Amino acid sequence: MRSKRAPMGVLLYFAGTLMLAVYFTFAAVQGDYGVFKRAEIDAEGRTLAQELALLQAEVARMENLTRRLSDTYLDLDLLDEQARDVLGMVRADEIVIR
């Protein structure tokens, strides 16, 4: 009578195939180039894009202030504000409240 058990080679083949499938599935999800890493990189990219937009707005504001204090275009109100702020000066007709 023949035994109904599968040969050992077939079992080892399927066990090896299963191990490889588990390994590649894990690598596709958790690995350096996996799904979770991709989601993390996308979220970081969105955060950096928002930070870039804030910095670009700040640079535009500073460029505007610099242009308004340049030799070609002088904003006297801004110059007065900066002089008061830096030098701590006030006019005689002003009242300072601290």
Side-chain angles (χ1 to χ4, degrees), residues 1-2 12-14 20 25 34-35 39-41 43 46 48 51 57 59-60 66 73 76 79 82 84 88 93 98:
M1 238 193 222
R2 283 192 108 175
L12 287 176
Y13 174 77
F14 282 116
L20 281 174
T25 302
V35 175
E40 182 181 321
I41 289 172
R46 285 189 298 273
L48 290 174
E51 186 178 335
V59 166
T66 303
Y73 179 92
L76 295 178
L79 179 63
Q82 291 296 320
R84 290 165 184 267
D93 61 342
R98 292 192 184 236

Side-chain angles (χ1 to χ4, degrees), residues 63-81:
E63 285 176 346
N64 182 30
L65 289 175
T66 303
R67 184 183 63 81
R68 287 170 54 195
L69 288 175
S70 69
D71 291 338
T72 58
Y73 179 92
L74 185 60
D75 185 352
L76 295 178
D77 289 334
L78 182 62
L79 179 63
D80 184 53
E81 176 186 331

Side-chain angles (χ1 to χ4, degrees), residues 30-42:
Q30 294 281 341
D32 290 340
Y33 303 103
V35 175
F36 289 148
K37 188 68 164 180
R38 175 63 185 238
E40 182 181 321
I41 289 172
D42 288 343

